[in-house]
Amino acid sequence: MKKFINDVSSIVDDTIEGFISIYGDIVKKVPDSRVIARKNIKQQRKTGIVIGNGAGHEPACIGFVGEGMLDGNAYGDIFSAPGPMHLLSAIKEADTGSGVLVLISNHAGDVMNSEMAVDMAKEDGIAVDSVLLYDDILSAPASQFRQRRGTAGTVFTYKIAGACAEEGKGLLEVKEIAERTRDRTRTITAALSPGISPLSKEPMFQIGEDEIQMGIGVHGEAAAYVMKYESAQKTAVFMTEKILEDMEWSEGERMAVFVNGCGRTTYMELMIFYNEVRKFLKSKGIKLLRPLTGNFVTTQEMAGIALSVCRMDPEMETYWNRKTDTAAFPW
């Protein structure tokens, strides 16, 4: 496998340097860390929002730092959670005196290191709280929903909680809407071909030419189903049906749809897939809100789609539509 990189040992730092050189008007690198932080926070006191994640999922989450979304991203090695000291640096940078909310995608390393950073921040006198994010319905049954992985649907929480914080809401209010958004979001990821780590240069999993894996994780974690692949229409209906089965909903419900490409998925495929989801949800009497499509949470060459659906209430819908000024989120 060939990639446009220099050396595997410098991938993360080279990525950060290039990113800052392009988007230095809205973000900065915190000295002596791998933290991307927002510039030019307009309010004197604002609830900060930060997250840590491994490299290799770009533009998540460095591309979501900026006005209306995240205030900081602690950036780890390839597919590895950042250490607690980097997360602590992100918390301190985001603290303007109104507290900081740490969003934690539900993966073991992220949970452990984020909890350590939160404890250290509290010892330093910072008002800090956290929300665990989980949305992948095929990674655990509904009876064990807190064991589910965090996947592409976490973007709904970044956006909605970020807009809430931007409006000047306090830490408890921002935490509440982050949890509400999480609880109303469901995701399934399907893959046609595996991702390839730039470190190992090996496929993350094996899949037949006529197969699709359903319920794959963002790091190539095992799928819940291996099926024969037939078409975008049948795949979209299968995935959307599974999501609706997992949530309470009624005719007339207002939902936002996020069709996320996993890295190698083309724009053409995303448009075709979204259109099939749209038609199916409309046939159920569901009102579709402003959709999001594109490669946002990726897995290095994986050809796949993560379908996320969020049941909106009026407050969430307002925040979903608020403008952003970030590198990668298009509002």
Side-chain angles (χ1 to χ4, degrees):
M1 184 191 70
K2 294 173 286 195
K3 293 182 76 70
F4 289 106
I5 61 174
N6 297 316
D7 187 273
V8 292
S9 64
S10 67
I11 287 176
V12 175
D13 294 318
D14 290 349
T15 301
I16 292 173
E17 186 176 351
F19 184 77
I20 295 296
S21 71
I22 298 170
Y23 300 108
D25 57 329
I26 57 174
V27 293
K28 62 185 178 181
K29 179 180 180 292
V30 177
D32 303 316
S33 75
R34 283 178 171 172
V35 174
I36 310 305
R38 175 181 168 183
K39 278 184 168 180
N40 307 320
I41 295 177
K42 294 177 181 178
Q43 303 95 319
Q44 276 194 315
R45 295 173 66 87
K46 174 193 175 296
T47 300
I49 301 183
V50 304
I51 191 168
N53 72 285
H57 301 300
E58 294 76 22
C61 285
I62 58 175
F64 305 147
V65 177
E67 181 181 346
M69 289 192 77
L70 305 178
D71 296 294
N73 175 211
Y75 201 43
D77 288 325
I78 298 291
F79 303 143
S80 298
M85 295 307 297
H86 290 292
L87 282 158
L88 180 61
S89 294
I91 293 168
K92 289 181 175 180
E93 189 68 28
D95 180 32
T96 62
S98 291
V100 178
L101 184 66
V102 180
L103 303 177
I104 308 171
S105 188
N106 196 19
H107 300 275
D110 295 281
V111 173
M112 179 181 67
N113 290 345
S114 295
E115 288 178 346
M116 290 174 64
V118 167
D119 288 341
M120 289 188 290
K122 288 178 178 178
E123 290 174 1
D124 288 343
I126 299 173
V128 61
D129 209 334
S130 63
V131 171
L132 185 64
L133 302 180
Y134 38 80
D135 58 303
D136 179 4
I137 69 171
L138 295 187
S139 58
S143 60
Q144 300 171 24
F145 63 91
R146 289 187 179 87
Q147 304 303 313
R148 290 175 168 177
R149 297 183 292 239
T151 52
T154 56
V155 171
F156 282 116
T157 302
Y158 308 157
K159 176 63 182 71
I160 291 170
C164 180
E166 197 70 42
E167 193 176 79
K169 300 296 186 182
L171 178 57
L172 291 179
E173 292 172 285
V174 176
K175 178 180 180 179
E176 188 280 327
I177 203 164
E179 291 177 330
R180 194 191 329 158
T181 304
R182 173 201 64 197
D183 294 343
R184 287 169 165 258
T185 299
R186 303 290 189 275
T187 300
I188 297 178
T189 303
L192 295 173
S193 70
I196 301 174
S197 169
L199 301 181
S200 69
K201 300 183 181 180
E202 296 293 331
M204 295 174 177
F205 55 87
Q206 300 298 320
I207 186 170
E209 284 296 319
D210 61 345
E211 293 178 340
I212 184 169
Q213 293 206 10
M214 199 70 64
I216 204 77
V218 294
H219 308 107
E221 296 96 335
Y225 303 98
V226 178
M227 306 161 56
K228 295 294 183 183
Y229 177 71
E230 295 184 69
S231 67
Q233 188 270 337
K234 290 189 176 181
T235 303
V237 168
F238 177 89
M239 293 168 71
T240 312
E241 283 182 328
K242 288 290 183 186
I243 285 175
L244 293 182
E245 288 168 6
D246 197 81
M247 63 167 58
E248 294 181 4
W249 63 279
S250 58
E251 188 174 347
E253 194 92 44
R254 298 171 71 82
M255 298 187 186
V257 173
F258 173 26
V259 175
N260 174 70
C262 296
R264 214 182 84 185
T265 316
T266 65
Y267 189 82
M268 174 187 71
E269 293 167 278
L270 295 175
M271 295 301 103
I272 293 169
F273 187 92
Y274 170 76
N275 197 42
E276 296 301 335
V277 174
R278 178 190 65 82
K279 290 188 289 186
F280 182 77
L281 289 176
K282 287 190 72 175
S283 76
K284 299 295 183 181
I286 292 169
K287 169 68 175 177
L288 296 181
L289 305 178
R290 188 176 190 175
L292 179 66
T293 58
N295 287 281
F296 290 95
V297 183
T298 65
T299 310
Q300 296 292 304
E301 283 87 38
M302 189 160 84
I305 286 176
L307 172 64
S308 299
V309 176
C310 183
R311 296 172 51 239
M312 295 281 181
D313 64 27
E315 184 181 26
M316 292 166 58
E317 184 177 342
T318 296
Y319 290 139
W320 178 242
N321 287 318
R322 289 281 169 82
K323 74 166 188 173
T324 60
D325 185 13
T326 69
F329 199 90
W331 274 200

